[in-house]
């Protein structure tokens, strides 16, 4: 569903139940809170299983880091959690890079059994980034990003808010979850519905 279709569904249910509608600003606030709670639920499941579900997969992305002399890099602004690091080359070949805790760094760097020159490591040494050793290694990070939350955009026509697709942000969640988003918004509006009950309005 488009964000306008979600809004129309929500308003259709609230109008019929005589609960009335909310302002576009409140609708967008409830929408953001609902999508945030849904993302946290999906992420919590990932933390338990370490498996990226079909619902969470739209939020998996990657970033390639060009080598810098310090070997230290910052996470992207939309970063939530790194799923893996790989050694990356211009041909697109990828080799998994071992992630090493800070307190194990010295042992791993000085290891003669697993030479660091051949087997780079990633050290999560600070809250906002990581270090790669050897320092001039090309690295690609796969990570889960924070969603861009949906927004119902509008223009005022004859004193009424009218949907404006150009000013809107569509939901980045899979369509299979859009009913759950509508249910979440309705809950903030004081209406409790199940998926089955909502289906009667679609």
């Amino acid at each position: 569903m488009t964000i306008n279709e979600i809004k129309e569904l929500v308003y259709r249910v609230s109008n019929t139940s005589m609960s009335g509608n909310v302002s576009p600003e409140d609708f967008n606030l409830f929408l953001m809170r609902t999508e945030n709670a849904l993302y946290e639920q999906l992420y919590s499941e990932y933390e338990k299983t370490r498996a990226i579900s079909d619902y969470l997969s739209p939020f998996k992305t990657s970033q390639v880091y060009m080598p810098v002399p310090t070997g230290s890099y910052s996470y992207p602004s939309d970063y939530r959690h790194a799923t893996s690091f790989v050694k990356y080359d211009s041909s697109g070949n990828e080799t998994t890079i071992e992630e090493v805790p800070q307190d194990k760094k010295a042992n791993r760097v000085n290891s003669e059994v697993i030479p660091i020159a051949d087997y780079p490591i990633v050290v999560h040494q600070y809250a906002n980034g990581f270090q790669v050793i050897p320092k001039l290694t090309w690295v690609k990070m796969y990570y889960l990003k924070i969603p861009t939350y949906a927004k119902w955009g509008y223009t005022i026509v004859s004193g009424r808010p009218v949907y404006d697709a150009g000013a809107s942000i569509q939901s980045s969640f899979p369509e299979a979850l859009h009913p759950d988003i509508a249910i979440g918004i309705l809950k903030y509006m004081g209406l409790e519905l199940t998926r089955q009950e909502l289906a009667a309005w679609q």
Side-chain angles (χ1 to χ4, degrees):
M1 290 187 281
T2 66
I3 193 59
N4 192 50
E5 289 171 332
I6 293 174
K7 180 178 180 290
E8 287 180 342
L9 174 59
V10 166
Y11 275 38
R12 191 157 60 245
V13 174
S14 63
N15 277 329
T16 306
S17 67
M18 306 300 288
S19 297
N21 291 323
V22 294
S23 68
E25 290 73 23
D26 281 343
F27 174 83
N28 283 327
L29 175 62
F30 299 158
L31 171 62
M32 182 188 69
R33 288 177 177 174
T34 298
E35 288 199 329
N36 182 65
L38 186 56
Y39 181 82
E40 291 302 324
Q41 178 185 334
L42 296 174
Y43 183 76
S44 176
E45 292 168 1
Y46 165 76
E47 284 191 311
K48 294 174 185 175
T49 64
R50 291 299 166 182
I52 297 176
S53 67
D54 291 341
Y55 293 151
L56 193 59
S57 62
F59 306 106
K60 183 179 179 180
T61 188
S62 64
Q63 178 161 319
V64 174
Y65 292 89
M66 295 178 59
V68 295
T70 61
S72 295
Y73 306 91
S74 296
Y75 297 127
S77 59
D78 62 353
Y79 171 88
R80 178 60 187 272
H81 178 81
T83 58
S84 65
F85 292 85
V86 296
K87 184 179 179 181
Y88 183 80
D89 64 31
S90 57
S91 299
N93 298 315
E94 299 182 358
T95 307
T96 301
I97 296 178
E98 180 186 1
E99 296 178 54
V100 176
Q102 179 68 28
D103 60 351
K104 305 291 184 183
K105 173 183 172 181
N107 288 340
R108 182 62 184 77
V109 168
N110 296 321
S111 172
E112 295 181 1
V113 177
I114 312 175
I116 198 73
D118 298 325
Y119 300 96
I121 62 171
V122 162
V123 181
H124 296 279
Q125 61 175 5
Y126 49 96
N128 297 320
F130 61 94
Q131 181 182 39
V132 180
I133 305 172
K135 295 177 180 179
L136 296 181
T137 301
W138 281 79
V139 63
K140 184 176 185 179
M141 178 181 71
Y142 289 94
Y143 69 100
L144 293 172
K145 65 179 180 178
I146 298 168
T148 298
Y149 295 112
K151 176 185 176 184
W152 188 80
Y154 65 94
T155 54
I156 298 297
V157 178
S158 300
R160 295 177 58 252
V162 175
Y163 176 62
D164 183 346
S168 299
I169 301 173
Q170 302 303 321
S171 178
S172 52
F173 288 81
E175 184 140 354
L177 291 176
H178 290 185
D180 296 285
I181 293 172
I183 288 170
I185 296 168
L186 286 164
K187 187 174 182 179
Y188 280 111
M189 296 170 66
L191 295 170
E192 299 270 357
L193 272 77
T194 65
R195 260 182 168 257
Q196 185 176 1
E197 291 169 335
L198 184 70
W201 300 94
Q202 293 179 276

